[in-house]
Amino acid sequence: MAKRKHLFCKALFFSVFLTGCAGETQYIEDYSTYGGEAVYDVFDNGKITKGIWVTPPDKYRTEDMFAKMAQCGIDMVNGFMYAENTEEEIHTVMNYCDKYGIKYFVNSSIITDGIAQYSKDQNPDHITEAMEFLGKFSSHASFAGVLLMDEPGGGLFPALGAYADAFHKRFPGKIANVNLFPDYALGGTGFSRYEDYITHYLDATKAKVLSYDSYPLFEVDTQSENYIFEDENYYACLDLLRQLSLDEGVPLWSFIATLGYTHPTERTRRTPSRADLRWTVFSNVAFGVKGLQYFCYCTPDQDSYGEAMISRGGEPTETYYFVKEVHEEIANYESILMNSDCVGMMLKDYRRYGQSLHFTGLTHFGPIKGIEGDHYLAGCFIDKDSGKKSMYLTPTSPRESIQLKLLTYSNIKSVSAYVKGELVTLNAADNAFDLAIDAGESVLLCFE
């Protein structure tokens, strides 16, 4: 709690006016309350973490399957206790991860069942058993830590805190991770407000990573009167978590859907197209997400799930290649964003069921004094070391291309930009940049 400032204060920034030699009024912004001490690069590789959920089942637990992960850019695996459910199987997976430079979070029913039991009886033997079990795998180079639990209710937070504390003492430098509910699953959290669910978790566990899942791509029936393509609260939740992770000084990790699915208490999700997947990835990157996790890598057995990155037959699907492509593109600029605080957002999305922000959006940032256009999202970043600013822009819909005019101060003549992953120079004309961004694309502007 000590790190976290009052959110309404953190959502504001201080601006003063100066008159330049050209006689034009300029904003000078003070973001001194932001970031600085945040530790985002938990694996110390300068890259946005790219992880998966649902590891290969027994018949596909081969070296080739993990080689394919690495070839796709995956560098982190969330252990899956329903697949590798013996010590031997965990070691086998970790050996493959060792070879291909992939980090691995151990996940086991010994841990999850023990947490549930500890919450009832507070018997320290449960924690001792868990730490001894984890010690069997700690010599692996791939050992990143433990995935304590997926989507716990708030009633388990004290137990999770006790386990996390014991883990970090036993395995310094490693991570006791937990993946949290999305905002639309509020009934499972035990709280009436989603923000309280997140802050109580952070306070209880002293988390080193804030991880959650949210899947915004709805199956669409255009004949329905009130059809909707994406969850209209998706951006607002990301904005809340962006700020909370910034306050806490930890990286935000999120899950990206690679498949469609049906669920009795949720809207049916559609199988993501190339543009859908890229829109989801780029939206998360714009909100400062430092870890992209994919649900799922291997297709689950249940018929309620469509095929993921690896089919039920053990072969890469087209989604595998969508993910590989977007990772190759991000690799050209991810180091810039990995070392930067996402200090605020600019958004305009005037349409039915348009996206919105949790906090008040920015109206200007760095040399950009305004944006003309619609259906855009812009994440605003400041490098923690150099103070250099950057802006990450993407359309608010996977179906729409956008035309923007970025208004600048008169002393700005050009800017470096990553367009479709390629570094180019954009030249200003009449104190503005004209910017076209296709559906499923993004642009990173780098300001000197």
Side-chain angles (χ1 to χ4, degrees), residues 97-148:
C97 289
D98 290 345
K99 181 171 183 178
Y100 290 100
I102 299 171
K103 295 298 183 181
Y104 181 86
F105 285 96
V106 176
N107 178 235
S108 169
S109 59
I110 292 174
I111 310 295
T112 56
D113 292 349
I115 291 169
Q117 190 60 40
Y118 180 87
S119 71
K120 298 175 182 178
D121 60 23
Q122 288 78 56
N123 185 339
D125 290 346
H126 301 307
I127 296 179
T128 300
E129 180 186 17
M131 297 306 116
E132 291 177 352
F133 176 76
L134 291 167
K136 298 176 181 180
F137 311 104
S138 61
S139 62
H140 283 276
S142 59
F143 181 67
V146 59
L147 177 59
L148 291 174

Side-chain angles (χ1 to χ4, degrees), residues 276-290:
D276 284 335
L277 186 131
R278 292 170 67 85
W279 172 79
T280 313
V281 167
F282 294 150
S283 294
N284 278 267
V285 172
F287 278 99
V289 167
K290 310 301 186 190

Side-chain angles (χ1 to χ4, degrees), residues 408-422:
T408 69
Y409 299 104
S410 59
N411 58 326
I412 305 299
K413 303 303 181 184
S414 65
V415 64
S416 297
Y418 288 88
V419 179
K420 298 184 178 180
E422 298 297 325

Side-chain angles (χ1 to χ4, degrees), residues 203-224:
D203 291 340
T205 64
K206 306 299 185 288
K208 296 185 179 182
V209 170
L210 176 56
S211 175
Y212 92 118
D213 54 55
S214 183
Y215 307 118
L217 302 173
F218 296 148
E219 188 68 71
V220 178
D221 178 7
T222 56
Q223 302 304 310
S224 173

